[in-house]
Amino acid sequence: MMSEDAGQMLAIYDDPSDQRSLSLDETSSTEESPDETRLSLETINDAVPYIGQRFATHDAAYEFYSEYAKRCGFSIRRHRTEGKDGVGKGLTRRYFVCHRAGNTPVKTLNDSKPQRNRKSSRCGCQAYLRISKVTDSGAAEWRVTGFVNHHNHELLEPNQVRFLPAYRTISDADKNRILMFAKTGISVQQMMRLMELEKCVEPGYLPFTEKDVRNLLQSFRKSDQEDESLDLLRMCRNNKEKDPNFKFEYTLDSNNRLDSIAWSYASSVQSYDIYGDAVVFDTTHRLTTFDMPLGIWVGVNNYGMPCFFGCVLLREENLRSFSWALKAFLGFMNGKAPQTILTDQNMCLKEAIAIEMPTTKHALCIWMIVAKFPSWFNAVLGERYNEWKTEFYRLYNLESIEDFELGWRDMVSSFGLHTNRHIANLFALRSLWALPYLRSHFFAGMTTTGHSKAINSFIQRFLSAQTRLAYFVEQVAVDFKDQAAEQQTMQQNLQNICLKTGAPMESHAASILTPFAFSKLQEQLVLAAHYASFQMDDGFLVRHHTKLEGGRKVYWVPREGIISCSCHQFEFSGILCRHALRVLSTGNCFQIPDRYLPLRWRRISTSPTKLAQSSSDHADRIQWLQSMVSTLVAESAKSKERLDMATEQVYSLLSRVREQPVTSQGARDISHIHRNL
């Protein structure tokens, strides 16, 4: 029979209710026939229960019926018992029923308590096995006296029945392994992947799910969260006393316990002012020891490195909590909302962003979606899983919305996914993750695989040491400063670049952009040489020299310095595409128009005065100055004229600086710096 997909099984069959009013029609069962009875030991290979089958205990009968049910595509549970304890007979009759037997009772609504509107699996199925206790010659045994195998619902396929709660088990060895992983601070998703590798099973084929692991960790929580919350608040207040520009907000619940808390650093606010146009808000991680959802705001700086903007810890993942988190973040960042924000597939978060950041383009992180594919599709597609994934990536990277939607329909038909819940959901949300719908919005390249790995690695550093909750704040601060030092080292190491085309546009861009951004533009400049441009009435048609059809439409207004391409690469990444660069070259343009060398990709993204004013930390300001001096030396060394000008200006500046008085605090700072050099 056709089955529901595995993900739907998890949603439907995680039903904790146990309706006891099942009506079993005993007259519909096949009555026992003593002539046909045999001991279960003699029928150990029998696959189907039968009237008169004997078992030494009722537990043995249950195990036999459970194994039979698993092979058939359903699970069972213990139902009604009959007998008179204390009269001598004790338990005399027992019923085992299909897990979908009975009907879920109507819940009484309580306005003061949130309702969990979960679909029930109960549908009044009448399948059951009845056993009765029989005593012959003084030896008691259990005999099958009733068996109905008619189900009023679809049975599951073998690769899906394992998702039923009855067959999702965590062994003691696996429990110990999970608890050990939890102490290291890795996420539940990472635990699952590691255990799949250890057990040599395909993704999605463990005998338990991520939800089961979360429930296990929840049951083993022994820390006093109230004490942890007090430590965390104390830590944030101490940071605020040390640095007035440290920012944090928190809320308390009705019992005066910490409900949510968010924080950010002065240097994070400064970075956000420059690089906060595109933001990732990653809410897929939890502080495992405390089972608290964690949200981290991250961006990408002009050197292509992840930069930290802020953190939030929440008790709940609902609309109210996410709205509060977004309001707190905007408050930290002086009310400035990002142009774009990338998140996980969370409907509450989606709604909160629409309310709190109405002008921000919301999109879903493709790498977070792809990470769920093994559990969603591996068991469903089997050997065709990798073939399907290749087709998915092809569709994802298309430029035309029309081509994407036509290709999607063909893919659904080819792989027989018409009734798959995840496929339907992905298509319904396509405008939030598929590139054809997002190319006209700026994402700073954070949708690429390389950036996704860098951001995930960056976040994992904060999660690497989860001991006490307050220590986590310290860990974030330490790692953030370490990352800033690494960034400065990278800036200095990437100063020497190699020109490949010899074109004036290339050397012009190299003098302005960071090595990271220039390398991206240089790739497009090299490729532009392989394209031909044809002037049309309303612009240019640009296509590869080997192609006779197709191409991209480029519009160029030389007087105004405006150029745009139908591929929207500049709008998406801030880097001009090969098509636009080809048109500029054809039009004898020797410098890239200033507006197409964005400030956020330049070597120095803001003025020294603003940098000095925005940072209250003396050491941070010295680091910025050292970075600018390093850039000054690298730029000045490129020609004699530059070197002469820089030498003259620096000599004049040094004379003016020496005229300024030195405070005792400044003298101590200088002495400390010299000792560390």
Side-chain angles (χ1 to χ4, degrees):
M1 299 179 67
M2 293 297 293
S3 65
E4 300 171 25
D5 86 302
Q8 199 169 10
M9 294 304 97
L10 290 177
I12 293 178
Y13 292 128
D14 280 338
D15 182 6
S17 62
D18 188 9
Q19 173 66 11
R20 297 286 180 178
S21 60
L22 173 66
S23 173
L24 298 178
D25 182 6
E26 297 185 13
T27 61
S28 66
S29 66
T30 305
E31 295 301 326
E32 64 176 288
S33 175
D35 294 337
E36 298 176 2
T37 62
R38 288 176 293 172
L39 290 175
S40 59
L41 292 177
E42 298 174 1
T43 60
I44 193 168
N45 294 323
D46 290 344
V48 182
Y50 58 89
I51 298 301
Q53 186 176 12
R54 297 178 180 183
F55 298 93
T57 66
H58 58 79
D59 286 335
Y62 177 86
E63 292 300 325
F64 179 86
Y65 190 32
S66 179
E67 287 299 317
Y68 167 75
K70 188 174 184 180
R71 292 194 301 271
C72 292
F74 67 101
S75 66
I76 64 171
R77 69 175 189 274
R78 293 178 173 87
H79 185 57
R80 195 167 72 235
T81 59
E82 297 176 358
K84 296 181 180 179
D85 292 327
V87 182
K89 288 188 176 181
L91 185 64
T92 59
R93 182 176 288 186
R94 182 140 219 179
Y95 289 88
F96 306 130
V97 300
C98 174
H99 70 287
R100 302 195 67 176
N103 296 288
T104 303
V106 178
K107 293 183 180 179
T108 303
L109 296 179
N110 187 340
D111 295 336
S112 64
K113 295 179 65 177
Q115 301 296 317
R116 302 179 69 183
N117 298 317
R118 296 188 299 178
K119 186 177 179 181
S120 173
S121 66
R122 306 296 175 82
C123 63
C125 181
Q126 293 291 311
Y128 74 95
L129 179 77
R130 184 178 70 238
I131 58 175
S132 300
K133 190 174 183 180
V134 178
T135 302
D136 291 335
S137 302
E141 64 182 16
W142 291 85
R143 187 176 301 171
V144 176
T145 58
F147 175 51
V148 171
N149 199 33
H150 175 71
H151 298 265
N152 65 350
H153 56 89
E154 294 179 338
L155 300 179
L156 303 183
E157 299 292 340
N159 63 351
Q160 294 176 335
V161 70
R162 60 194 176 83
F163 287 111
L164 294 175
Y167 306 125
R168 283 158 38 198
T169 58
I170 305 179
S171 67
D172 290 340
D174 287 341
K175 287 179 182 178
N176 292 332
R177 195 80 175 142
I178 289 168
L179 293 176
M180 185 197 71
F181 285 147
K183 292 178 182 178
T184 68
I186 66 174
S187 68
V188 172
Q189 189 178 65
Q190 289 173 316
M191 293 181 195
M192 299 290 285
R193 300 294 85 81
L194 283 172
M195 297 186 77
E196 286 166 352
L197 291 172
E198 289 176 350
K199 295 176 179 291
C200 297
V201 300
E202 291 293 323
Y205 275 82
L206 287 174
F208 48 85
T209 66
E210 288 188 16
K211 179 178 179 181
D212 299 325
V213 174
R214 295 191 194 284
N215 290 339
L216 175 69
L217 294 173
Q218 178 77 10
S219 68
F220 276 93
R221 284 194 301 163
K222 297 180 180 178
S223 299
D224 188 340
Q225 294 188 16
E226 292 189 35
D227 289 345
E228 290 291 334
S229 299
L230 291 174
D231 288 344
L232 179 58
L233 278 175
R234 192 179 298 113
M235 177 72 67
C236 288
R237 286 169 178 151
N238 289 340
N239 285 344
K240 185 71 173 179
E241 290 178 2
K242 295 176 183 177
D243 180 4
N245 290 319
F246 174 80
K247 299 186 177 184
F248 77 101
E249 293 286 346
Y250 66 94
T251 62
L252 303 176
D253 63 15
S254 57
N255 296 318
N256 210 35
R257 295 177 302 184
L258 185 67
D259 186 57
S260 52
I261 185 167
W263 69 93
S264 184
Y265 305 93
S267 47
S268 297
V269 177
Q270 174 185 315
S271 295
Y272 181 85
D273 188 48
I274 308 168
Y275 312 118
D277 41 14
V279 173
V280 171
F281 184 30
D282 189 339
T283 58
T284 61
H285 304 281
R286 303 173 82 89
L287 288 187
T288 310
T289 309
F290 311 98
D291 196 36
M292 291 183 68
L294 169 71
I296 301 180
W297 286 280
V298 183
V300 171
N301 67 12
N302 54 342
Y303 281 83
M305 297 184 66
C307 51
F308 173 85
F309 293 144
C311 260
V312 63
L313 282 168
L314 304 170
R315 288 292 179 194
E316 302 289 340
E317 294 180 276
N318 53 34
L319 176 60
R320 179 188 63 82
S321 296
F322 284 131
S323 291
W324 179 87
L326 294 173
K327 286 179 181 177
F329 179 72
L330 290 175
F332 297 160
M333 304 306 168
N334 304 310
K336 178 183 176 182
Q339 295 177 28
T340 57
I341 186 167
L342 288 160
T343 73
D344 188 27
Q345 188 176 338
N346 185 305
M347 291 303 102
C348 289
L349 181 55
K350 177 178 180 292
E351 186 176 351
I353 291 172
I355 296 171
E356 306 300 337
M357 298 179 173
T359 62
T360 298
K361 172 61 179 176
H362 177 214
L364 303 179
C365 292
I366 187 62
W367 69 85
M368 295 183 188
I369 293 176
V370 171
K372 300 171 185 176
F373 282 178
S375 60
W376 284 358
F377 302 116
N378 203 341
V380 175
L381 293 168
E383 294 180 353
R384 300 194 70 190
Y385 171 70
N386 288 329
E387 179 188 351
W388 171 84
K389 196 162 63 170
T390 299
E391 177 63 8
F392 173 86
Y393 278 119
R394 186 188 72 81
L395 297 174
Y396 167 74
N397 284 292
L398 290 175
E399 292 183 2
S400 164
I401 291 176
E402 182 180 2
D403 289 345
F404 173 85
E405 295 189 350
L406 289 173
W408 187 272
R409 293 188 183 96
D410 291 341
M411 178 267 291
V412 169
S413 177
S414 174
F415 289 88
L417 296 171
H418 299 88
T419 60
N420 187 278
R421 177 173 65 95
H422 298 300
I423 285 291
N425 193 32
L426 282 173
F427 187 71
L429 297 173
R430 61 193 180 281
S431 63
L432 297 180
W433 60 265
L435 289 186
Y437 300 87
L438 301 176
R439 292 188 186 278
S440 59
H441 300 277
F442 180 72
F443 287 97
M446 290 192 293
T447 60
T448 62
T449 302
H451 267 309
S452 68
K453 290 181 179 178
I455 290 172
N456 189 60
S457 175
F458 179 71
I459 291 173
Q460 288 304 320
R461 294 177 60 175
F462 300 145
L463 303 175
S464 61
Q466 296 183 26
T467 51
R468 293 179 62 84
L469 191 56
Y471 295 166
F472 175 73
V473 182
E474 291 182 332
Q475 180 72 24
V476 171
V478 170
D479 283 345
F480 182 47
K481 288 185 178 180
D482 288 346
Q483 192 263 350
E486 290 176 7
Q487 173 182 322
Q488 182 182 355
T489 301
M490 179 175 286
Q491 290 173 357
Q492 295 171 353
N493 292 340
L494 292 177
Q495 295 300 331
N496 297 323
I497 57 176
C498 177
L499 301 181
K500 295 181 179 180
T501 69
M505 277 194 295
E506 185 184 22
S507 58
H508 173 237
S511 67
I512 296 175
L513 300 177
T514 64
F516 167 79
F518 173 71
S519 68
K520 301 298 180 183
L521 182 69
Q522 189 179 54
E523 290 176 8
Q524 298 300 313
L525 279 167
V526 171
L527 291 171
H530 298 269
Y531 283 74
S533 64
F534 307 92
Q535 188 161 7
M536 315 288 286
D537 292 338
D538 57 347
F540 292 83
L541 177 66
V542 181
R543 62 173 174 244
H544 197 271
H545 73 95
T546 62
K547 304 292 184 181
L548 299 178
E549 297 181 354
R552 304 291 183 271
K553 290 294 294 291
V554 177
Y555 304 91
W556 184 32
V557 184
R559 290 183 180 180
E560 300 179 15
I562 296 176
I563 191 166
S564 64
C565 180
S566 60
C567 77
H568 296 295
Q569 178 170 304
F570 179 77
E571 291 84 352
F572 187 68
S573 65
I575 303 295
L576 273 181
C577 64
R578 65 201 74 173
H579 318 108
L581 291 169
R582 177 59 180 164
V583 170
L584 290 175
S585 177
T586 302
N588 298 322
C589 184
F590 299 108
Q591 286 193 350
I592 296 175
D594 192 63
R595 70 176 67 191
Y596 299 108
L597 298 172
L599 197 63
R600 67 116 53 232
W601 291 133
R602 298 192 181 197
R603 290 175 182 263
I604 300 177
S605 300
T606 189
S607 68
T609 303
K610 186 172 182 180
L611 288 172
Q613 293 173 346
S614 61
S615 177
S616 62
D617 191 322
H618 194 77
D620 287 345
R621 293 166 67 179
I622 290 175
Q623 281 191 358
W624 277 104
L625 181 59
Q626 289 174 334
S627 177
M628 286 188 290
V629 169
S630 176
T631 303
L632 175 65
V633 171
E635 291 296 325
S636 302
K638 293 180 178 179
S639 70
K640 181 180 181 301
E641 291 76 17
R642 286 188 178 190
L643 187 60
D644 290 343
M645 182 181 71
T647 302
E648 180 182 351
Q649 295 294 327
V650 169
Y651 182 81
S652 175
L653 175 62
L654 185 59
S655 298
R656 297 205 309 272
V657 168
R658 283 172 173 166
E659 294 174 359
Q660 299 298 314
V662 178
T663 64
S664 57
Q665 176 63 42
R668 286 196 297 271
D669 290 336
I670 292 172
S671 176
H672 176 72
I673 291 169
H674 280 293
R675 285 198 303 271
N676 290 327
L677 288 177

